[in-house]
């Protein structure tokens, strides 16, 4: 999220835009220079839809007609998805049948969330996480929503009694007091096979262990953290290779308001990101006793920089090799995103963005990274990544190949929705055709009354974004979705979960204010489904960092298993595949320690459990 632009910054923007013809580096340098000179970092570049020369040269391949042709293709596919009257490939068939229906109230997943400080702080405006977890070992999976405490309630746990039938059990399960919660992470902390909860928030990070379906506060096992620091998304994985599960928590800003001025102009002072300094992220290594130690400075000094980080990841960023750490920063004018990697098994994690990319977008500067999801977008067998962003910056789509990742947002098609303000992002195969679609939670951080003064793109309430993957291009089909995607709102976190165990992934979005959005997948499937549950060895029962490959009659599908994705939450822990055709498939799992398990001739439309040898 950016600070509002000053009038002088707005006046300089046309000069910055004309510099685009020189190179992305020049654009970035000009924007940074203006930022430091003016201390106001609004970085919209007028004419943002027009590709600059450097990007066009990068994207145009030997078999391409150039980027402009690909952009036209992306726009055409989005137009096809807009409605049956447009004559698209789905006209009269798929487009007339919305993919989702909203079932929040009908399923019991309904509450009305109110802000705790009347939206006068960043904590209020940016909170709203949701985690998928298994509380009692009985399907369907359960849901935990984070919220800052108010007179009408705070965080909430909903346990499934059956398909699309949920009951609130927050206090009964021991989660009545989880602190000033911003985010959550569901993972198996102690290797006993059930899901525990990490709850980052304002001035604290809380840990709750699941004991027979009830949660016991074990925060004493964590080291103390900054009393006024705002902690956001978290990720779990075996960072040090000792077989248990470590944690990476995003440190956002120091929310100490004692030294803020009384009047900051267009915005309440506590909502102005430029007035709140960034804080270090926290890398927590689990010890044999079950306690955690803060090992950030020793193991990952580049993660300890005082930056406004919103999302983090522990993943094989290129799909193979040991796990990397990924740091997704807000305020991209000043802070790039950074992948961190070990040069040797004992070396500290260090910034390798120059080697593998992922730091900057197609325009050559950092994105305001609000959400993150990972998967093979273009079907080439490599793991790719998407990062959602502030309005007027397209969602970055990093396609990875031969060890390097490049943002191809313009050719993939996400520039079509760049005027929306995007938060949680989730890649998933909603129509079971073998490729990954994309859904995003939306809603501006500024209020309608503030948008004009801050040069923001409104309105504040916005409907979510849904993109259909058509041959590696993400075509917007939100306008075809009827009521489920037509109602504007304020949503932040997003989670993928199968609410009714029918093999089709559903979507839940956590509210900043108001009610959650619960989207039940009713799309007639184009193919079949397969769901792979992974059971790792020892304390890493969740097998965080595993890579799963499914080989079917016409190709292969690759999925990376990460714990902590989207924004402020985590997804269904089972690895989900849409499979074209109905023939049996072969499954291969690359486990976190580098060993491989294969299983041949596996029937589709079923759950499969694979155990690390």
């Amino acid at each position: 999220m950016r600070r509002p632009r000053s009038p002088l910054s707005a006046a300089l923007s046309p000069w910055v835009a004309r510099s685009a013809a020189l190179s992305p580096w020049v654009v970035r340098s000009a924007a940074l220079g203006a930022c430091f000179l003016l201390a106001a970092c609004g970085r919209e570049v007028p004419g943002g839809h027009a590709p600059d020369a450097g990007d066009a040269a990068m994207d145009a391949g030997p078999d391409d007609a150039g980027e402009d042709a690909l952009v036209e293709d992306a726009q055409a596919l989005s137009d096809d998805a807009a409605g049956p009257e447009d004559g698209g490939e789905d006209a009269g068939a798929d487009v007339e049948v919305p993919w989702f229906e909203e079932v929040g109230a009908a399923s019991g997943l309904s509450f009305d969330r109110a802000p705790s400080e009347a939206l006068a702080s960043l904590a209020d405006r940016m909170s709203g996480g949701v985690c998928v977890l298994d509380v009692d070992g009985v399907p369907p999976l359960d849901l935990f929503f984070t919220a800052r405490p108010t007179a009408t309630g705070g965080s909430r746990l909903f346990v499934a009694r059956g398909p699309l039938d949920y009951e609130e059990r927050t206090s009964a399960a021991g989660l009545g007091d989880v602190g000033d919660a911003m985010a959550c992470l569901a993972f198996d902390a102690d290797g006993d096979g059930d899901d525990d909860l990490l709850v980052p928030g304002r001035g604290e990070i809380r840990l709750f262990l699941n004991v027979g379906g009830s949660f016991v506060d074990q925060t004493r096992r964590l080291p103390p953290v900054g009393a006024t620091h705002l902690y956001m998304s978290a990720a779990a994985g075996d960072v040090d290779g000792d077989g248990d599960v470590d944690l990476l928590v995003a440190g956002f800003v120091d929310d100490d308001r004692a030294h803020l001025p009384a009047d900051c102009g267009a915005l309440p002072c506590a909502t102005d990101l430029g007035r709140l300094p960034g804080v270090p992220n926290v890398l927590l290594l689990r010890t044999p006793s079950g306690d955690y130690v803060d090992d950030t400075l020793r193991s990952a000094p580049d993660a300890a920089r005082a930056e406004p980080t919103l999302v983090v990841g522990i993943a094989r960023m290129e799909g193979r090799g040991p796990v990397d750490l990924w740091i997704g920063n807000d305020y991209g004018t000043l802070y790039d995103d950074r992948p961190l990697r070990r040069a040797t098994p004992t070396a500290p994690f260090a910034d390798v963005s120059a080697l593998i990319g992922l730091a900057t977008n197609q325009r050559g500067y950092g994105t305001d990274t609000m959400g993150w999801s990972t998967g093979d977008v273009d079907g080439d067998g490599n793991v790719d990544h998407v990062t959602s962003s502030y309005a007027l910056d397209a969602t970055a789509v990093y396609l990875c190949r031969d060890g390097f990742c490049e943002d191809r947002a313009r050719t993939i098609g996400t520039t079509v929705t760049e005027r929306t303000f995007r938060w949680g992002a989730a890649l998933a195969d909603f129509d079971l055709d073998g490729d990954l679609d994309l859904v995003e939670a939306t809603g501006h951080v500024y209020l309608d009354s503030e948008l004009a003064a801050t040069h923001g793109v409104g309105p504040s309430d916005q409907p979510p974004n849904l993109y259909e993957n058509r041959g590696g291009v993400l075509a917007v089909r939100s306008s075809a979705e009827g009521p489920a995607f037509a109602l504007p709102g304020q949503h932040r976190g997003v989670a993928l979960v199968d609410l009714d165990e029918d093999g089709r992934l559903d979507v839940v979005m956590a509210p900043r204010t108001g009610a959650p959005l619960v989207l039940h997948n009713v799309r007639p499937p184009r193919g079949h489904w397969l769901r792979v549950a992974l059971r790792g060895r020892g304390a890493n029962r969740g097998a965080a960092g595993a890579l799963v490959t499914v080989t079917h009659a016409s190709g292969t599908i690759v999925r990376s298993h990460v714990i902590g994705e989207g924004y402020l939450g985590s997804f269904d822990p089972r690895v989900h595949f849409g499979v074209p055709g109905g023939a049996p498939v072969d499954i291969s799992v690359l486990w976190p320690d580098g060993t491989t398990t294969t299983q041949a001739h596996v029937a589709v439309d079923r759950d499969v459990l694979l155990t690390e040898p």
Side-chain angles (χ1 to χ4, degrees):
M1 187 188 73
R2 283 162 271 197
R3 273 191 279 176
R5 305 168 68 203
S6 70
L8 181 55
S9 175
L12 287 177
S13 289
W15 178 85
V16 175
R18 287 194 295 272
S19 301
L22 298 178
S23 74
W25 182 87
V26 173
V27 177
R28 179 175 174 78
S29 299
L32 285 173
C35 260
F36 284 113
L37 177 66
L38 302 170
C41 294
R43 56 175 171 75
E44 299 98 301
V45 178
H49 289 280
D52 58 54
D55 289 341
M58 178 181 70
D59 281 341
D63 298 322
D64 297 334
E67 182 178 10
D68 290 340
L70 289 173
V71 172
E72 290 175 3
D73 290 343
Q75 181 65 61
L77 286 175
S78 293
D79 292 343
D80 286 344
E85 68 277 5
D86 294 322
E89 72 175 47
D90 285 340
D94 297 340
V95 172
E96 293 180 351
V97 180
W99 288 16
F100 296 95
E101 61 180 3
E102 210 289 321
V103 296
S107 63
L109 289 168
S110 181
F111 59 89
D112 189 18
R113 184 180 174 205
S116 62
E117 298 178 282
L119 300 177
S121 69
L122 279 180
D124 252 13
R125 296 186 180 205
M126 302 180 75
S127 63
V130 55
C131 282
V132 181
L133 72 162
D134 187 356
V135 172
D136 52 11
V138 178
L141 294 175
D142 313 304
L143 294 165
F144 180 72
F145 295 86
T146 62
R148 308 187 68 209
T150 67
T152 59
S155 300
R156 291 170 172 86
L157 174 70
F158 290 88
V159 176
R161 294 179 292 199
L164 298 172
D165 182 12
Y166 284 80
E167 175 186 18
E168 185 183 349
R169 295 187 194 169
T170 313
S171 297
L175 296 173
D177 178 14
V178 297
D180 195 348
M182 296 292 295
C184 58
L185 181 74
F187 73 111
D188 188 354
D190 48 10
D192 64 354
D194 57 25
D195 286 332
D196 309 301
L197 271 175
L198 188 79
V199 184
R202 186 180 187 273
E204 56 188 345
I205 302 172
R206 306 278 294 272
L207 175 65
F208 298 87
L209 297 185
N210 186 342
V211 181
S214 295
F215 289 85
V216 179
D217 191 341
Q218 294 289 294
T219 305
R220 62 178 178 81
R221 295 186 176 275
L222 304 178
V225 294
T228 56
H229 291 185
L230 205 58
Y231 294 100
M232 307 296 276
S233 301
D238 186 2
V239 170
D240 53 5
D242 65 353
D244 59 21
V245 181
D246 310 304
L247 299 165
L248 180 61
V249 183
F252 183 46
V253 295
D254 187 350
D255 198 26
D256 182 0
R257 307 168 196 173
H259 305 294
L260 291 176
D263 185 4
C264 295
L267 298 175
C269 294
T271 69
D272 189 343
L273 178 58
R275 298 180 185 274
L276 300 173
V279 298
N281 303 301
V282 182
L283 177 62
L284 300 172
L285 301 186
R286 192 174 191 272
T287 68
S289 68
D291 295 332
Y292 292 81
V293 296
D294 184 347
D295 204 53
T296 319
L297 285 174
R298 187 184 72 87
S299 291
D302 281 338
R305 300 179 185 180
E307 299 176 338
T309 304
L310 282 178
V311 290
V312 291
I314 300 175
R316 291 165 158 143
M317 297 304 291
E318 297 177 62
R320 290 168 175 80
V323 294
D324 305 310
L325 307 182
W326 184 74
I327 310 296
N329 287 321
D330 196 356
Y331 213 164
T333 302
L334 299 179
Y335 305 101
D336 291 346
D337 293 346
R338 285 178 290 105
L340 309 180
R341 175 171 294 172
R342 279 188 155 128
T344 68
T346 58
F349 287 89
D351 191 338
V352 291
S353 57
L355 295 177
I356 68 172
L358 296 173
T360 58
N361 62 15
Q362 273 195 335
R363 296 177 182 175
Y365 48 73
T367 60
D368 296 315
T369 298
M370 321 297 289
W372 171 66
S373 191
T374 183
D376 184 3
V377 175
D378 57 355
D380 67 350
N382 295 292
V383 175
D384 308 310
H385 312 278
V386 299
T387 59
S388 57
S389 189
Y390 190 97
L392 296 182
D393 261 349
T395 292
V397 183
Y398 294 98
L399 300 186
C400 303
R401 182 178 298 179
D402 298 328
F404 195 79
C405 305
E406 294 179 282
D407 175 24
R408 299 295 181 89
R410 289 192 179 96
T411 57
I412 294 297
T414 55
T415 54
V416 176
T417 58
E418 67 179 10
R419 295 181 69 84
T420 62
F421 196 116
R422 286 140 282 125
W423 301 83
L427 288 166
D429 189 352
F430 294 118
D431 54 356
L432 303 183
D433 63 351
D435 55 27
L436 291 175
D437 312 300
L438 175 64
V439 67
E440 296 174 320
T442 57
H444 211 292
V445 72
Y446 296 144
L447 309 181
D448 283 330
S449 59
E450 298 165 346
L451 285 171
T454 58
H455 299 270
V457 178
S460 181
D461 287 355
Q462 298 173 1
N465 294 328
L466 176 64
Y467 311 76
E468 178 185 355
N469 192 327
R470 298 188 180 181
V473 172
L474 294 175
V476 177
R477 60 166 293 116
S478 305
S479 60
E481 283 305 299
F485 278 79
L487 186 63
Q490 286 285 341
H491 296 97
R492 298 296 185 252
V494 61
L496 299 173
V497 57
D498 189 348
L499 296 168
D500 54 357
E501 293 291 302
D502 68 349
R504 292 175 292 181
L505 280 173
D506 309 302
V507 179
V508 177
M509 294 185 182
R512 181 198 74 179
T513 52
L517 194 62
V518 184
L519 302 173
H520 176 221
N521 190 338
V522 295
R523 166 68 167 84
R526 287 176 171 157
H528 297 262
W529 60 273
L530 187 71
R531 204 159 43 200
V532 180
L534 301 173
R535 180 178 295 166
R537 269 201 322 263
N540 189 7
R541 289 285 292 266
L547 189 75
V548 186
T549 301
V550 167
T551 302
H552 56 88
S554 54
T556 60
I557 309 170
V558 176
R559 299 282 186 271
S560 181
H561 176 48
V562 299
I563 300 177
E565 200 170 352
Y567 172 69
L568 304 184
S570 51
F571 297 173
D572 190 325
R574 301 166 296 186
V575 186
H576 179 271
F577 294 85
V579 182
V585 300
D586 297 336
I587 306 175
S588 175
V589 180
L590 178 62
W591 298 97
D593 67 355
T595 59
T596 301
T597 296
T598 59
Q599 188 166 334
H601 209 66
V602 178
V604 296
D605 295 329
R606 59 179 291 228
D607 288 283
V608 177
L609 172 64
L610 294 179
T611 302
E612 186 176 10

